[in-house]
Amino acid sequence: MLSELTNYALRDEELRGLPQWEHGAYRDKIAHHLQQFQTQLGVEFTIPADDLAELILAALSGVTTAWLAHGDGTIARRSLDQFAAVFASYASSSQ
């Protein structure tokens, strides 16, 4: 499991930077997609895109961890649907 690898890396002095790097890479990819939404679709966000990227990553991580714990895809999809509504509340059309 990735969570086990992350926990292992955090306990190992030589690997400690890997989880931070991985988290940053995911956050940067999400921020890139948010920037594309802004430029290609005319979407504006009510909070900074970097903050929104961090929120999205935290939500996805949480839903993934919860799904690993309970294994219920219906609950996981419902959580993602509800998060999508929260995400949408931070967006508005600039056109």
Side-chain angles (χ1 to χ4, degrees):
M1 279 199 213
L2 284 178
S3 60
E4 282 299 315
L5 290 173
T6 298
N7 289 329
Y8 176 79
L10 289 171
R11 289 188 301 268
D12 186 301
E13 187 67 34
E14 292 180 22
L15 301 175
R16 190 164 290 152
L18 288 176
Q20 182 180 5
W21 170 84
E22 180 184 44
H23 181 87
Y26 286 140
R27 185 190 58 243
D28 291 348
K29 189 66 168 176
I30 294 167
H32 173 75
H33 286 295
L34 292 173
Q35 184 179 31
Q36 286 184 313
F37 289 149
Q38 287 178 304
T39 57
Q40 294 176 5
L41 303 175
V43 173
E44 291 184 5
F45 302 110
T46 59
I47 63 173
D50 288 342
D51 293 349
L52 187 54
E54 187 68 34
L55 287 172
I56 292 169
L57 182 53
L60 293 175
S61 178
V63 170
T64 301
T65 300
W67 176 78
L68 287 171
H70 58 62
D72 190 326
T74 300
I75 293 172
R77 282 187 295 277
R78 192 168 56 237
S79 295
L80 291 172
D81 287 343
Q82 291 168 354
F83 175 70
V86 171
F87 167 68
S89 74
Y90 288 109
S92 63
S93 176
S94 63
Q95 296 177 3

